[in-house]
């Protein structure tokens, strides 16, 4: 019922238009046989226009790694939803751990961004995750529930199906290996429980895992029932590695 989804966050790793174009031109043909999986890229912000040109009219989605909390106005250095619409981008990354921890982005701003994206019919990929590894499911729920409550207070339950949740435990980002797969499944199940308890239909919400995903651990992670896909970082910088991860998801979830 939920279409599998694989995305990549380029952060500030591949920053020139030339390198981004090369990555896209190499990757696009490798994804041709996996139409049963949705794919998207959040390129380095300075390469968005190049990305938009290359991906125009393709099924490979794209968008910025962040967005301003208001449609327009005195918000120096921010990226407006109006630019997203102008670029015909279809996704936006919201509330990544690095935005919160380095740039002090707050929950109320993130909540506004989600609403703005949904109103503009752009899919928000909303990052959720605890800072410290939980020791049991109760602790995990206690860490995740306030985030969901704060971020989605203004969002109608009928809009939930248009949101992608990226479960990214902060302690597993930028590491050699991902979180343990049982832990990952517990977290996804917990997020589904929370959505259901507030009256949402969790069976319509796509939840993907991010945090040191690689072609080596992708199969074990997507084998988990409540995981709908993967959010890739460093280990997707080689086009073939990203394509291998999409292929794994296609075979196991498609
Ligand atoms: C991320 O931080 O969103 C991410 C996917 O990074 P990595 O896989 O490099 O940990």
């Amino acid at each position: 019922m939920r279409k599998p989804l694989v995305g990549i966050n380029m952060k500030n790793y591949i920053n020139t238009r030339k390198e981004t174009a090369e990555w896209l031109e190499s990757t696009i043909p490798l994804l041709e046989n996996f139409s049963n999986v949705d794919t998207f890229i959040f390129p380095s912000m300075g390469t968005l226009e190049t990305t938009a040109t290359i991906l125009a009219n393709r099924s490979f989605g794209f968008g910025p790694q962040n967005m301003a909390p208001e449609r327009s106005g005195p918000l120096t250095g921010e990226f407006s939803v109006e630019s997203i619409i102008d670029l015909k981008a279809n996704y936006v990354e919201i509330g990544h751990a690095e935005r919160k921890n380095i740039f002090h982005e707050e929950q109320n701003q993130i909540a506004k961004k989600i609403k703005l994206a949904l109103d503009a019919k752009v899919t928000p990929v909303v990052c959720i995750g605890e800072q410290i590894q939980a020791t049991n499911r109760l602790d995990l729920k206690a860490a995740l529930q306030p985030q969901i409550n704060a971020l989605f207070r203004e969002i109608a339950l009928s809009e939930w199906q248009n949101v992608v949740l990226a479960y990214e435990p902060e302690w597993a980002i930028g590491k050699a290996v991902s979180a343990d797969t049982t832990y990952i499944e517990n977290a996804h199940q917990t997020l589904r429980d929370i959505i259901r308890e507030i009256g949402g239909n969790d069976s319509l919400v796509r939840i993907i895992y991010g945090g040191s995903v690689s072609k080596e651990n992708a199969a074990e992670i997507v084998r988990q029932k409540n995981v709908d896909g993967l959010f890739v970082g460093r280990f997707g910088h080689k086009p073939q590695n990203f394509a291998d991860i999409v292929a794994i998801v296609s075979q196991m979830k498609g």
Side-chain angles (χ1 to χ4, degrees):
M1 181 157 44
R2 299 183 298 266
K3 189 167 181 190
L5 179 66
V6 179
I8 182 160
N9 176 13
M10 289 299 191
K11 306 193 183 188
N12 269 196
Y13 283 110
I14 295 182
N15 298 319
T16 63
R17 290 170 296 168
K18 181 170 177 287
E19 286 170 303
T20 297
E22 281 167 6
W23 191 91
L24 288 167
E25 308 286 8
S26 304
T27 305
I28 290 165
L30 300 175
L31 301 183
E32 248 161 34
N33 296 327
F34 310 123
S35 57
N36 60 351
V37 177
D38 282 340
T39 49
F40 65 86
I41 178 171
F42 292 129
S44 183
M45 297 285 259
T47 71
L48 257 173
E49 188 159 2
T50 301
T51 303
T53 304
I54 295 173
L55 295 184
N57 304 316
R58 290 191 180 273
S59 57
F60 197 170
F62 70 96
Q65 298 172 5
N66 178 33
M67 181 181 91
E70 309 289 343
R71 212 178 151 89
S72 66
L75 295 158
T76 303
E78 285 290 329
F79 195 90
S80 166
V81 70
E82 292 180 350
S83 305
I84 298 181
I85 296 165
D86 185 42
L87 286 168
K88 298 195 170 42
N90 30 22
Y91 292 85
V92 57
E93 180 170 12
I94 295 183
H96 188 274
E98 286 147 20
R99 299 291 323 159
K100 292 185 230 167
N101 296 331
I102 304 172
F103 301 102
H104 312 296
E105 205 167 278
E106 288 171 3
Q107 304 280 55
N108 64 334
Q109 289 176 337
I110 300 172
K112 281 185 178 182
K113 295 177 189 196
I114 299 170
K115 178 139 182 35
L116 211 51
L118 288 169
D119 289 348
K121 307 269 178 267
V122 174
T123 301
V125 177
V126 182
C127 303
I128 300 278
E130 71 287 359
Q131 285 188 309
I132 299 166
Q133 185 167 4
T135 46
N136 57 54
R137 269 185 86 158
L138 271 182
D139 283 352
L140 195 52
K141 190 167 186 189
L144 298 176
Q145 178 115 48
Q147 293 183 41
I148 296 282
N149 290 348
L151 299 187
F152 292 93
R153 221 182 354 242
E154 307 280 314
I155 306 301
L157 292 171
S158 58
E159 286 274 38
W160 269 91
Q161 59 192 292
N162 301 321
V163 171
V164 171
L165 285 184
Y167 170 65
E168 297 210 303
E170 295 187 20
W171 50 271
I173 292 175
K175 298 290 186 307
V177 291
S178 71
D180 165 83
T181 47
T182 307
Y183 190 100
I184 292 173
E185 173 61 4
N186 280 342
H188 284 66
Q189 178 68 67
T190 300
L191 286 168
R192 295 199 185 284
D193 291 346
I194 295 170
I195 295 167
R196 233 182 3 263
E197 281 161 21
I198 58 178
N201 184 349
D202 71 287
S203 69
L204 299 178
V205 183
R206 289 190 288 183
I207 310 180
I208 61 177
Y209 170 80
S212 306
V213 170
S214 65
K215 62 178 181 175
E216 285 77 24
N217 59 29
E220 267 314 300
I221 300 171
V222 287
R223 198 186 303 284
Q224 309 306 315
K225 183 164 145 268
N226 287 290
V227 177
D228 298 319
L230 298 168
F231 196 20
V232 183
R234 290 156 299 142
F235 300 131
H237 288 177
K238 285 203 179 111
Q240 189 61 58
N241 289 354
F242 182 70
D244 286 350
I245 293 170
V246 176
I248 290 166
V249 175
S250 168
Q251 272 160 27
M252 300 191 63
K253 291 275 179 191

